[in-house]
Amino acid sequence: MHPIVTLVAQRVALGVLLLFAASILIFVGTSILPGDVAQSILGQSATPEALANLRAELGMDQPPLTRYFTWLGGVLQGDLGTALTNGRDIAESLGSRLGNTLFLAFWAAVVAVPLAIFLGLLAVRYKDRWPDRLISAVTLTTISIPEFMIGYVLIYWVSIQMGWFSSVAIINDSMSLGQKLNAIAIPVMVLTLVVLAHMMRMTRAAILNVMQSAYIETAELKGLGMLRIIRKHAFPNAIAPIVNVVMLNLAYLVVGVVVVEVVFAYPGMGQYLVDHVSKRDVPVVQACGLIFAAVYIGLNLVADLVSILTNPRLRHPK
Amino acid sequence: MTDPLLKIRGLKIGATIYPPGEKAREIEIVHGVDFDLAPGKVLGLIGESGAGKSTIGLASMAYGRGGVEITDGTVEVNGRDILKAPFRDVRRLRGGEVTYVSQSAAASFNPAKQIMEQVTEAAIFQNKFTKAQAEARAVDLFRKLGLPEPETIGNRYPHQVSGGQLQRCMTALALCPEPDLVVFDEPTTALDVTTQIDVLAAIKEAIRDTGVAALYITHDLAVVAQVSDHIMVLQQGAMVEYGTTDQIINDPQEDYTRALVSVRSIRHEEKQPTNTPVLRVENITARYSGLSFDVLKNINVELHPGQTLAVVGESGSGKSTLARVITGLLPPSAGRITFDGRTLTPDLATRPVEDLRELQMIYQMADTAMNPRQTVGTIIGRPLEFYFGLRGAEKQKRIQELLDEIELGDGFIDRYPAELSGGQKQRVCIARALAAKPKLIICDEVTSALDPLVADGILKLLLDLQKIEDVAYLFITHDLATVRAIADSIAVMYQGSVVRYGPKSQVLAPPFDDYTDLLLSSVPEMKLGWLEEVLRHRKMESAGH
Amino acid sequence: MGRRAGRLARQRYSADPPSFPKARRMRVPLAALIGLFFTSLFFLSAIFAPLIAPYGMAEVVGDVWEPPSDRFLLGTDSIGRDLLSRMIYGGQTTIFIATAATALSFVIGSVLGFFAAVSGGWIDQTLSRFVDLIMSIPTLIFALVVLSVMPTTIPILIVLMGLLDSTRVYRLARAVAVDITVMDYVEAARLRGEKIGWIIFRETLPNALSPLVAEMGLRFIFAVLFVSTLSFLGLGVQPPQADWGGIVKENKEGINYGIAAALYPAYAIAVLCISINLVADWVLNRTTSLKGGRG
């Protein structure tokens, strides 16, 4: 068998293993910690009977291992349990919210990825001159402000002071794509700013690394033009690190979404998660945590797979 | 007299340096160099590191690496001043009229492209040949350069061929567009000595067959003497001497050239073995965890007090592993080591301090062998403190004595390693080893990272110190010239085994086994026509068999 | 194109200078001075908050969202407290939590990182795989999961943030230490028979310090952003205690009426974080150049 197949299989298996381990970690984090869920839900004044009833309802009287496997078995069949606070099926509530979240993240990626790569190239082209310095100064600033604050700064200046776009991003199925895009314009801007800095800096570093290789000098000494050097010699070697950068930052985007959704009252998974954390609705938190972790692990997995698949040493073994 | 192909006048080259933590500043690295190169001739540029030889070579392509910039002078190729020419013309020159072979072909080939595409790229791009013509020419060159499977080797990727083969591919890449001039920048330096001779022969033959002119840049005078018509000796950016190869080798005019020619001329009388060896290695076999084969196979050698055993071999022969086994860093899977009459425990952790003290080590890279945050005084003082409990004035006095022994003198005690030159660093490492008053010092390629003249100084120092301190050396090296200079006995290693072992006079005298013969005959000698002689000799031998 | 200025120049510089010029006295660059100035300003105002703040932290002194005036330099907040005082006390809370969490993450992360690197073998493997696992879940998500069952008190916040962030410190410390432990001078120390204490504290640590110090700046910034985020989500510092994230949460409604009260913390955080970045950059440059020099 081609060694690359083995490597890919190993990496995928590792991803699955990691996801299992993450599910254990999430479960442990919510059930074995000293906080008593039933007590938290019912408050200090709850009667012992009420507490006992709730504990039984939550399955807290079962040993932790049994509870974990019951939960995991459910998850594997698509059953995420029911929310404590309103008794609704979690999978059902999550469905449309997950879609909304992915919609927002998708458009943020559509804007941020090309922009970041373009700015990264620009910074490399004018390395150590003013465009490079300007880009790095601006990105330094955006790295230094939390997402939600960028959100309010943009709402204040763009939406309130200049009157462009709406300050809340509430979308529903009856809206057209154009209306939806108009609604999420500012959140997309915020998310773009949030990931742009990292993505651009890492792209710049990745391209510089390739451009400083001896084989680029060889190409220059063949008298090739700049464009041909980039197309034929730099690009094939830079693609893997750039894809890696993009994937890592998309993973970062997934987290940025949580906060941004709260700021703009966007009906996505992040808001849902934060709401239920305050309400101490453990099954919802577990489900959302697992989904976020799965997306995160998945994107990291894709990044690794791209590195493996584009490595000429692995593709063409001796 | 034909017009010169390359005519350089008053060439000055500057560079921007970035000392850490300080402002960048401009320095001049080549201070006005003139020379001519006629079509079809080979000029050797020779000098130690920092001589500016690569920089001059690249200037003939109007190219400056990084912050390097040509600040003054003219460079004419085929009668045109390429420094004043528009960039479009410079691009036609690069890869068309002048091509380049770098030291590290492994880094200079694009890892993501097949070799053929890269070899023919310049020729096609510069409209010298069609794709089919260029590929036919490449195959022809592959054959001339002695590459295996010349028809198909171009379909491989760079990592799929060996280092020596890739270096030949790089030569094919440079010759493919039928240039007028090829700049060879240390093309064989990174190769093992037995590979070097083949690549050198291939390059020489290719130069002769194609009638191309060449600048051959190297630090090794013996190598350049085999391929060039003229030689220019450079030192710190300025010309020292220029002449025909014959004149430079046989009748050097300048002191610096004479020193380069006579390098490694140290003569050392072989000492007789005593009855009680200080180190006895018996049946040592070792492997690294995770490897499926033994790196050392049944090694037996002895070393006598105050003498030098040279362990010589090429990369991968296991010579450095032997040092790791003796020091206890890699416990052997079988065998026994006796040191000064006691059996050494296999693992470092279980050895008594006295064993550690009497067995010291000096490393190849003095840079990484010293903690950059400790002063010379701390580095040399620590063994005095650790083994002998010396403190205060007593310790300072002993440190100064050691510094005097390694010929560094006053004012070094408070310096940091970064404030020393390469040779000085290695001397401090020697002092650190001597501070422990050892019976045996393992020297692992201690001179191979140094320029020849500096290396010579270190070898002389080691020999002098051996007389004073009566210490034995286990000298690990790939360089046979060094072995000749200092060894009393020699062990030749090949693929984990000792293939030849004995007193120097016996090991270096015929009859030889095949490997030792190959190794010895591959070491370039400082005389004209050596390469042809060896090749003729080898041809006759193989015909005789 | 083909600019390898840095690398080549460094090679040349270290190639073989006859005698290395003594490292000169370092000038503190302007950017670092600005950074140092603002960083100290923030820390001093955090330490002396009760002396500087014109009003009490939770004292209602005026109307809702009064505009800036002589009495209230930044105006008042959503329930009529002096915003400047809230900002000063909020800075105290935020900076205290971030400092404590950073210190905790450094103690845990670097001790375990060095320990793993120097011991190697199964200890290294176990620790590193466990850290990989924790890092496979985004930090914020992990914190939310834990906070859904834990009470949100300041000690718990500090411990949680310190533990989660120590994974990053662990990775860096381990990587740096592994780089150093393969150096010949560490091997030379082992061959000399030195104890593990000497190897860690005299050979490894002095060379690992500069990247760790620079990283400390970045971790502190991250901690400031993180605690602000949690407070903004209502899961961090609880009212009436002031902190920068909380001030945004309390005053966010004002934005829609054009009241900028919620933006002041954003400016404060940005200035603090940029200043620390500037200082960290300088420390990194300075200490790397000190390697072997005498500053």
Side-chain angles (χ1 to χ4, degrees):
Chain A
M1 192 157 49
H2 200 287
I4 209 160
V5 180
T6 328
L7 266 174
V8 167
Q10 275 173 354
R11 187 61 193 81
V12 172
L14 183 69
V16 173
L17 194 71
L18 209 53
L19 194 55
F20 265 104
S23 76
I24 295 175
L25 213 55
I26 288 172
F27 190 82
V28 168
T30 48
S31 37
I32 298 180
L33 281 169
D36 181 343
V37 180
Q39 185 89 63
S40 327
I41 294 170
L42 296 177
Q44 293 298 332
S45 55
T47 62
E49 292 81 41
L51 280 175
N53 282 341
L54 185 58
R55 285 202 184 106
E57 193 187 320
L58 293 174
M60 303 279 279
D61 45 358
Q62 306 276 322
L65 213 60
T66 321
R67 274 187 287 144
Y68 171 71
F69 281 109
T70 318
W71 175 64
L72 188 69
V75 169
L76 288 178
Q77 292 161 26
D79 173 18
L80 296 172
T82 50
L84 293 180
T85 39
N86 55 14
R88 287 223 204 115
D89 185 56
I90 297 174
E92 214 168 274
S93 319
L94 267 181
S96 66
R97 287 170 176 272
L98 183 60
N100 287 346
T101 294
L102 292 178
F103 180 75
L104 181 60
F106 170 79
W107 285 102
V110 165
V111 178
V113 172
L115 193 61
I117 292 175
F118 172 74
L119 288 178
L121 282 169
L122 202 67
V124 170
R125 177 73 186 78
Y126 296 101
K127 181 171 169 283
D128 291 334
R129 305 228 289 273
W130 69 264
D132 183 25
R133 286 167 195 279
L134 181 71
I135 292 172
S136 76
V138 172
T139 50
L140 178 67
T141 318
T142 57
I143 289 177
S144 305
I145 313 178
E147 298 91 341
F148 65 93
M149 294 204 179
I150 298 181
Y152 285 118
V153 172
L154 284 186
I155 291 178
Y156 183 75
W157 291 108
V158 178
S159 178
I160 308 293
Q161 298 289 336
M162 309 210 289
W164 300 345
F165 306 115
S166 135
S167 65
V168 284
I170 294 172
I171 61 169
N172 53 54
D173 291 342
S174 61
M175 290 163 86
S176 71
L177 184 63
Q179 284 170 320
K180 281 184 179 173
L181 288 183
N182 189 47
I184 63 166
I186 296 187
V188 165
M189 273 186 236
V190 175
L191 286 172
T192 303
L193 282 176
V194 168
V195 290
L196 194 63
H198 284 286
M199 213 187 306
M200 173 265 150
R201 286 184 163 212
M202 288 159 78
T203 309
R204 176 181 180 275
I207 297 174
L208 271 183
N209 192 22
V210 170
M211 293 307 274
Q212 284 168 344
S213 326
Y215 55 80
I216 297 294
E217 181 181 285
T218 307
E220 280 182 88
L221 290 177
K222 284 175 179 172
L224 309 182
M226 173 76 89
L227 280 178
R228 188 183 164 92
I229 293 176
I230 291 177
R231 189 162 51 85
K232 286 268 183 183
H233 293 281
F235 185 71
N237 293 293
I239 186 85
I242 290 179
V243 169
N244 220 330
V245 168
V246 168
M247 286 303 153
L248 291 181
N249 283 286
L250 289 185
Y252 188 73
L253 190 76
V254 169
V255 182
V257 162
V258 173
V259 180
V260 170
E261 284 180 5
V262 174
V263 172
F264 293 92
Y266 183 81
M269 238 179 74
Q271 206 203 21
Y272 185 65
L273 169 63
V274 171
D275 262 4
H276 288 81
V277 170
S278 346
K279 292 178 189 158
R280 303 189 178 278
D281 192 335
V282 173
V284 175
V285 174
Q286 284 173 337
C288 291
L290 192 61
I291 291 173
F292 275 115
V295 173
Y296 194 79
I297 291 172
L299 287 168
N300 278 300
L301 174 64
V302 172
D304 282 0
L305 290 183
V306 170
S307 301
I308 294 174
L309 292 174
T310 53
N311 185 338
R313 279 169 194 280
L314 297 176
R315 272 203 348 219
H316 310 282
K318 285 193 181 186
Chain B
M1 178 87 193
T2 48
D3 285 334
L5 165 69
L6 174 68
K7 181 173 160 187
I8 291 184
R9 289 292 176 271
L11 180 67
K12 288 188 179 174
I13 300 174
T16 316
I17 58 165
Y18 301 86
E22 289 173 44
K23 278 216 148 57
R25 62 171 191 272
E26 305 280 327
I27 52 163
E28 192 174 271
I29 52 175
V30 174
H31 322 281
V33 166
D34 313 302
F35 66 84
D36 288 344
L37 177 61
K41 293 287 180 189
V42 180
L43 171 65
L45 294 179
I46 177 140
E48 305 187 306
S49 57
K53 46 195 194 303
S54 296
T55 315
I56 295 172
L58 286 170
S60 68
M61 304 176 82
Y63 188 83
R65 249 182 211 153
V68 170
E69 234 173 301
I70 299 165
T71 49
D72 198 16
T74 57
V75 177
E76 285 180 24
V77 176
N78 286 326
R80 299 187 325 272
D81 186 347
I82 58 169
L83 299 184
K84 297 203 178 64
F87 189 62
R88 166 189 288 277
D89 290 4
V90 173
R91 276 182 44 200
R92 298 225 61 87
L93 170 102
R94 293 178 187 166
E97 283 168 82
V98 188
T99 55
Y100 181 73
V101 177
S102 74
Q103 173 173 350
S104 166
S108 297
F109 270 96
N110 185 338
K113 300 255 168 213
Q114 288 167 329
I115 290 170
M116 178 58 88
E117 190 182 339
Q118 303 190 55
V119 167
T120 56
E121 185 178 18
I124 299 168
F125 181 75
Q126 302 284 5
N127 291 323
K128 290 243 181 173
F129 298 109
T130 63
K131 187 161 187 283
Q133 284 171 329
E135 283 180 358
R137 183 169 162 79
V139 170
D140 195 38
L141 284 167
F142 290 151
R143 192 174 291 119
K144 264 191 191 136
L145 288 161
L147 282 164
E149 302 165 36
E151 281 81 16
T152 54
I153 195 168
N155 301 333
R156 298 195 207 169
Y157 284 82
H159 65 271
Q160 293 173 316
V161 304
S162 74
Q165 290 169 352
L166 203 57
Q167 204 67 44
R168 294 181 217 204
C169 292
M170 185 97 202
T171 307
L173 184 152
L175 290 172
C176 189
E178 279 193 337
D180 299 323
L181 171 65
V182 182
V183 179
F184 290 94
D185 194 352
E186 305 259 15
T188 63
T189 306
L191 304 174
D192 268 330
V193 65
T194 51
T195 318
Q196 161 170 297
I197 187 170
D198 294 335
V199 175
L200 195 61
I203 288 177
K204 182 168 186 178
E205 211 170 284
I207 290 177
R208 197 189 55 215
D209 288 357
T210 52
V212 70
L215 278 179
Y216 197 99
I217 297 162
T218 175
H219 68 282
D220 190 340
L221 195 50
V223 165
V224 82
Q226 309 310 319
V227 291
S228 56
D229 301 300
H230 289 83
I231 291 178
M232 177 183 247
V233 182
L234 293 158
Q235 189 186 17
Q236 291 181 5
M239 188 190 86
V240 174
E241 191 170 355
Y242 175 86
T244 62
T245 303
D246 183 40
Q247 181 251 307
I248 295 283
I249 300 294
N250 296 320
D251 184 23
Q253 300 297 307
E254 300 292 325
D255 289 344
Y256 182 69
T257 317
R258 267 195 286 274
L260 284 181
V261 172
S262 62
V263 79
R264 306 288 159 78
S265 56
I266 304 169
R267 289 285 163 256
H268 167 67
E269 285 301 311
E270 181 182 316
K271 294 186 211 107
Q272 291 307 309
T274 57
N275 291 328
T276 49
V278 63
L279 178 77
R280 177 180 282 153
V281 174
E282 290 168 282
N283 307 319
I284 285 290
T285 298
R287 69 168 63 180
Y288 289 104
S289 62
L291 286 189
S292 57
F293 57 92
D294 289 329
V295 185
L296 291 178
K297 295 163 203 154
N298 200 25
I299 305 289
N300 286 287
V301 287
E302 275 181 8
L303 172 55
H304 297 272
Q307 302 197 359
T308 303
L309 166 67
V311 177
V312 33
E314 298 182 276
S315 50
S317 62
K319 56 190 193 302
S320 291
T321 308
L322 181 59
R324 295 182 70 79
V325 170
I326 295 172
T327 54
L329 287 167
L330 177 71
S333 47
R336 191 164 73 126
I337 300 168
T338 322
F339 179 63
D340 203 24
R342 325 183 278 273
T343 301
L344 285 181
T345 61
D347 188 5
L348 174 66
T350 54
R351 289 189 184 174
V353 173
E354 205 57 1
D355 285 349
L356 300 176
R357 177 181 72 74
E358 293 189 335
L359 203 165
Q360 292 289 312
M361 174 132 180
I362 308 174
Y363 294 85
Q364 173 175 8
M365 305 300 292
D367 272 320
T368 57
M370 290 188 285
N371 189 332
R373 300 223 165 222
Q374 295 175 352
T375 62
V376 169
T378 314
I379 290 167
I380 303 179
R382 180 60 190 169
L384 299 173
E385 214 174 272
F386 186 79
Y387 294 126
F388 306 110
L390 292 190
R391 294 272 185 279
E394 216 182 344
K395 185 172 87 174
Q396 294 302 315
K397 187 167 150 275
R398 180 75 186 119
I399 293 174
Q400 194 55 52
E401 278 171 23
L402 284 162
L403 283 172
D404 290 340
E405 272 190 50
I406 55 166
E407 298 157 9
L408 282 188
D410 295 335
F412 278 88
I413 211 163
D414 290 327
R415 292 211 198 167
Y416 285 90
E419 297 170 318
L420 305 175
S421 72
Q424 289 169 341
K425 283 179 197 162
Q426 199 55 286
R427 280 165 194 259
V428 172
C429 289
I430 293 172
R432 173 174 64 185
L434 287 177
K437 288 197 173 294
K439 292 212 165 88
L440 167 65
I441 301 180
I442 297 177
C443 305
D444 189 358
E445 299 268 15
V446 291
T447 55
S448 51
L450 302 171
D451 279 322
L453 292 179
V454 180
D456 241 25
I458 297 284
L459 291 180
K460 284 196 185 100
L461 176 72
L462 284 171
L463 284 177
D464 290 346
L465 291 171
Q466 187 168 50
K467 284 190 199 108
I468 302 168
E469 306 271 343
D470 200 35
V471 58
Y473 297 138
L474 182 84
F475 207 96
I476 293 165
T477 182
H478 70 279
D479 181 7
L480 278 153
T482 307
V483 173
R484 283 206 180 90
I486 66 152
D488 297 299
S489 51
I490 299 176
V492 179
M493 289 192 67
Y494 180 60
Q495 293 184 351
S497 303
V498 172
V499 292
R500 193 175 173 89
Y501 169 63
K504 176 166 72 173
S505 50
Q506 281 177 25
V507 169
L508 296 183
F512 295 117
D513 60 287
D514 287 352
Y515 180 70
T516 309
D517 188 29
L518 177 71
L519 194 63
L520 286 175
S521 66
S522 298
V523 180
E525 284 173 33
M526 197 81 74
K527 64 179 186 192
L528 269 62
W530 162 80
L531 182 62
E532 283 73 16
E533 213 173 282
V534 175
L535 294 176
R536 203 164 45 237
H537 181 70
R538 284 191 186 171
K539 211 174 266 171
M540 271 163 50
E541 278 205 340
S542 60
H545 276 295
Chain C
M1 284 295 290
R3 291 178 72 91
R4 348 169 150 183
R7 201 175 65 182
L8 184 82
R10 269 195 294 281
Q11 276 170 0
R12 188 159 297 292
Y13 194 65
S14 62
D16 220 347
S19 74
F20 193 102
K22 296 273 163 75
R24 296 172 205 153
R25 261 198 104 66
M26 209 79 52
R27 270 182 63 244
V28 182
L30 183 67
L33 277 180
I34 297 175
L36 276 173
F37 173 76
F38 280 104
T39 308
S40 351
L41 191 75
F42 274 105
F43 272 84
L44 287 175
S45 76
I47 294 167
F48 299 109
L51 302 178
I52 305 169
Y55 302 95
M57 181 178 73
E59 205 181 339
V60 177
V61 290
D63 251 347
V64 172
W65 282 325
E66 272 189 49
S69 64
D70 286 349
R71 270 187 72 209
F72 310 113
L73 284 177
L74 296 179
T76 58
D77 77 353
S78 56
I79 56 171
R81 293 170 294 194
D82 176 46
L83 200 56
L84 179 62
S85 305
R86 294 285 293 168
M87 283 294 297
I88 292 172
Y89 280 108
Q92 185 183 37
T93 318
T94 305
I95 289 175
F96 169 72
I97 294 177
T99 308
T102 309
L104 184 65
S105 67
F106 262 79
V107 172
I108 299 172
S110 51
V111 167
L112 289 182
F114 278 119
F115 183 63
V118 175
S119 1
W122 66 268
I123 297 178
D124 183 23
Q125 283 298 319
T126 314
L127 277 170
S128 297
R129 293 295 81 76
F130 184 67
V131 164
D132 285 350
L133 170 61
I134 295 191
M135 289 178 81
S136 76
I137 301 175
T139 315
L140 180 65
I141 303 298
F142 203 116
L144 291 182
V145 166
V146 173
L147 287 174
S148 70
V149 289
M150 300 281 273
T152 42
T153 61
I154 287 181
I156 285 187
L157 282 177
I158 291 173
V159 171
L160 179 62
M161 286 168 53
L163 285 177
L164 286 179
D165 228 22
S166 66
T167 54
R168 266 85 182 163
V169 181
Y170 170 88
R171 278 226 177 144
L172 179 79
R174 182 185 168 278
V176 169
V178 164
D179 274 357
I180 296 170
T181 46
V182 298
M183 288 285 179
D184 289 341
Y185 59 80
V186 176
E187 189 181 298
R190 286 174 58 205
L191 289 181
R192 202 186 303 135
E194 300 283 5
K195 303 272 178 301
I196 195 155
W198 173 279
I199 291 178
I200 289 184
F201 289 104
R202 301 302 293 272
E203 307 284 353
T204 313
L205 207 56
N207 291 295
L209 225 46
S210 49
L212 282 179
V213 168
E215 179 71 7
M216 193 181 282
L218 299 182
R219 300 294 16 132
F220 178 81
I221 294 172
F222 181 78
V224 168
L225 300 184
F226 196 66
V227 72
S228 305
T229 302
L230 286 180
S231 298
F232 168 73
L233 295 177
L235 302 166
V237 179
Q238 299 299 317
Q241 178 89 318
D243 92 299
W244 288 343
I247 295 176
V248 178
K249 184 181 167 68
E250 291 157 11
N251 294 293
K252 61 182 183 185
E253 302 305 328
I255 297 269
N256 294 322
Y257 312 110
I259 292 159
L263 300 188
Y264 295 124
Y267 304 143
I269 290 180
V271 172
L272 175 63
C273 292
I274 292 172
S275 307
I276 288 178
N277 249 323
L278 294 175
V279 177
D281 263 7
W282 171 63
V283 168
L284 188 65
N285 283 333
R286 199 181 103 93
T287 43
T288 25
S289 70
L290 274 183
K291 212 178 216 171
R294 56 180 74 216

